[in-house]
């Protein structure tokens, strides 16, 4: 059984908050995580891999046009980490995002 982080993003993140999130990732998360993660982020998303699933967080919420199947909760996102060392980077960033954008609900599997 794996260890997974979950978040629900129903709306786009405003540019001023996105700038703060990107800066926190660039100035804190990446340096602290160091070689535990491989970064492939761009202007509109934060993407890093740490040995299990790739963490992918975007400024833009998923749209109806991107719905894959009927009944899909397009706000739902997750990243399975198997509690690997990079899990701390994933959870830290999600809690930072949640503090700036409390409408983004976060949770994780517990021990």
């Amino acid at each position: 059984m794996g260890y997974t982080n979950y978040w629900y993003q129903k709306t786009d993140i405003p540019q001023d908050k996105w700038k703060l999130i990107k800066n926190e990732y660039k100035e804190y998360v990446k340096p602290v995580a160091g070689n535990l993660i491989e970064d492939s982020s761009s202007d509109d998303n934060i993407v890093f891999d740490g040995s299990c699933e790739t963490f992918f967080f975007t400024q833009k919420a998923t749209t109806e046009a991107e719905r894959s199947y009927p009944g899909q909760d397009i706000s739902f996102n997750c990243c399975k980490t198997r509690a690997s060392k990079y899990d701390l980077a994933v959870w830290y960033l999600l809690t930072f995002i949640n503090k700036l954008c409390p409408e983004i609900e976060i949770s994780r599997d517990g021990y």
Side-chain angles (χ1 to χ4, degrees):
M1 187 167 200
Y3 188 89
T4 307
N5 297 275
Y6 308 93
W7 65 100
Y8 293 85
Q9 181 181 359
K10 296 178 182 177
T11 60
D12 295 349
I13 296 174
Q15 190 61 38
D16 60 330
K17 291 182 179 180
W18 182 246
K19 185 176 178 181
L20 292 171
I21 292 166
K22 289 286 287 190
N23 189 60
E24 186 74 6
Y25 175 67
K26 178 183 170 189
E27 299 295 325
Y28 183 72
V29 176
K30 274 178 59 176
V32 170
N35 63 3
L36 292 177
I37 63 171
E38 184 177 322
D39 178 58
S40 54
S41 300
S42 69
D43 290 341
D44 294 333
N45 58 57
I46 297 171
V47 182
F48 59 88
D49 188 19
S51 76
C52 190
E53 285 185 353
T54 300
F55 177 79
F56 181 86
F57 191 93
T58 183
Q59 179 181 10
K60 307 291 184 190
T62 304
T63 65
E64 284 293 327
E66 298 169 305
R67 183 181 299 276
S68 298
Y69 56 88
Q72 175 189 15
D73 181 349
I74 58 174
S75 71
F76 176 76
N77 298 276
C78 65
C79 179
K80 182 180 293 258
T81 62
R82 291 190 307 246
S84 298
K85 292 180 181 178
Y86 82 113
D87 178 69
L88 183 58
V90 171
W91 187 244
Y92 173 84
L93 190 58
L94 286 174
T95 58
F96 182 83
I97 291 166
N98 176 256
K99 295 299 178 197
L100 287 177
C101 308
E103 66 278 8
I104 296 177
E105 299 172 32
I106 62 172
S107 62
R108 67 195 313 202
D109 294 337
Y111 282 102

